[in-house]
Amino acid sequence: MLECADQTLYAGYTNNIEKRVAVHNAGKGAKYTRARGPVKCIYKEIFETKQEAMRAEYAFKQLTRTQKINYIRRGES
């Protein structure tokens, strides 16, 4: 989970978080983050397979902003 400079949230999956954040901050990542950088990683989860990660990403994107923030808070404890 990335937080953009405008306080919006961006979810995605990767096998290299540091590299992915650097790509976003270089303006070469997703179109959404290009206009909202810089970004910082505020939450991450690890999955066994790409399919699991993609399912979790999709489910997370269906949540409201409040639900997303609550999800992140629960995962940090």
Side-chain angles (χ1 to χ4, degrees), residues 9-23:
L9 301 174
Y10 176 81
Y13 66 91
T14 183
N15 60 2
N16 187 329
I17 293 172
E18 293 80 14
K19 181 179 176 184
R20 180 73 179 205
V21 170
V23 168

Side-chain angles (χ1 to χ4, degrees), residues 4-6 8 24 27 30-39:
C4 301
D6 66 357
T8 59
H24 282 296
K31 183 178 179 182
Y32 184 85
T33 60
R34 277 185 233 148
R36 294 174 169 85
V39 301

Side-chain angles (χ1 to χ4, degrees), residues 2 5-6 10 14 19 34-35 40 45 51-54 58-59 69 74 77:
L2 302 180
D6 66 357
Y10 176 81
T14 183
K19 181 179 176 184
R34 277 185 233 148
K40 64 180 176 179
E45 289 183 343
Q51 288 178 322
E52 287 178 284
M54 291 176 74
Y58 178 80
I69 291 168
R74 281 193 303 273
S77 45

Side-chain angles (χ1 to χ4, degrees), residues 66-77:
T66 301
Q67 290 171 323
K68 289 175 184 176
I69 291 168
N70 288 335
Y71 182 93
I72 292 167
R73 286 184 181 148
R74 281 193 303 273
E76 291 176 340
S77 45

